[in-house]
Amino acid sequence: MTFDPSTNLSAVERAVSLGEREGKPVRAVTLSRSFRATAPDLWDAVTNPERLPRWFAPVSGDLEAGGRYQVEGNAGGVITECERPSRFALTWEFGEDVSWVEVSVSDEGAGRARLTLTHTMRPSDHWDTYGPGATGVGWEFGFLGLALYLADPAAPRPDEAAFAASADGRAFGAGSSRGWERAAVAAGADPGAARMAAKRVTAFYTGEAAESA
């Protein structure tokens, strides 16, 4: 597999926002990427339980509005909205923590479509310590997996652990972390705090000490 970390990093648009949900403060990360796929195919790739394991994870449950879903080894929740073939929203429940995810697909023409994902959560010590990269980098790895899958659907899925431990994988994780640091500062975060949070996220994905990241 030929892989260029910088090309894939530059393909993602990142944003951090502050707001309210049900009268309480929330933090949100949004990432968006254009894929070489038609909008119907992209929608199917992110909603079809037969295709999700090829790039994301096995997902079980009633995958309709109002139904419960479960990501194998990860979060579960309720699909709160579904507007086929362009948008869905769901709760993201992990342990006792509940956050919210919204996903949209838009047609860009010329055989390309854009996927936009927003993950909204309550303020927490975890956010204060790791910043938006704790959530954003993980989703960005998911977007990368989707891009690789759509580029060659018949190819075997790369070994995630081996890739994450490789030089390319570490470079991608570190670059994504820096991207979320910039997005945090653009949203008004203190630059010093954003830098330290990014160092901690980078250390998680690269195995390097946070002090020397």
Side-chain angles (χ1 to χ4, degrees), residues 4 27-28 31 33 39 44 76 90 96 99 103 109-110 113 125 137 158-159 162 170 182 188-189 198 200-201 203:
D4 179 10
R27 308 287 185 265
L31 56 161
R33 177 170 178 163
D44 189 69
L90 48 83
E96 298 183 356
S99 53
V103 177
D125 291 341
V137 175
D159 184 285
R170 294 194 304 272
R182 292 190 292 270
R200 297 181 186 107
V201 173

Side-chain angles (χ1 to χ4, degrees), residues 29 119 121 126-140 176-177 180 197-198 200-202 204-205:
V29 299
H119 194 152
M121 62 216 76
H126 190 263
W127 178 282
D128 292 340
T129 301
Y130 296 100
T135 300
V137 175
W139 282 120
E140 200 163 331
S176 175
S177 179
W180 287 105
R200 297 181 186 107
V201 173
T202 299
F204 175 82
Y205 282 98

Side-chain angles (χ1 to χ4, degrees), residues 12 14 28-33 35 46 52 55-57 59 69 71 74-75 88 90-92 99-103 115-121 132-147 172 176 180 205:
V12 177
R14 308 170 190 85
V29 299
T30 297
L31 56 161
S32 181
R33 177 170 178 163
F35 293 88
V46 300
L52 284 166
W55 65 272
F56 181 55
V59 180
Y69 74 93
V71 179
N74 206 312
F88 64 87
L90 48 83
T91 62
W92 187 262
S99 53
W100 304 269
V101 174
E102 298 181 24
V103 177
L115 184 68
T116 302
L117 182 148
T118 298
H119 194 152
T120 303
M121 62 216 76
T135 300
V137 175
W139 282 120
E140 200 163 331
F141 268 100
F143 274 39
L144 173 61
L146 178 57
F172 183 82
S176 175
W180 287 105
Y205 282 98

Side-chain angles (χ1 to χ4, degrees), residues 66-91:
R68 289 200 65 88
Y69 74 93
Q70 179 64 51
V71 179
E72 185 175 291
N74 206 312
V78 176
I79 300 172
T80 55
E81 300 176 54
C82 184
E83 301 172 7
R84 297 178 181 273
S86 60
R87 179 182 177 276
F88 64 87
L90 48 83
T91 62

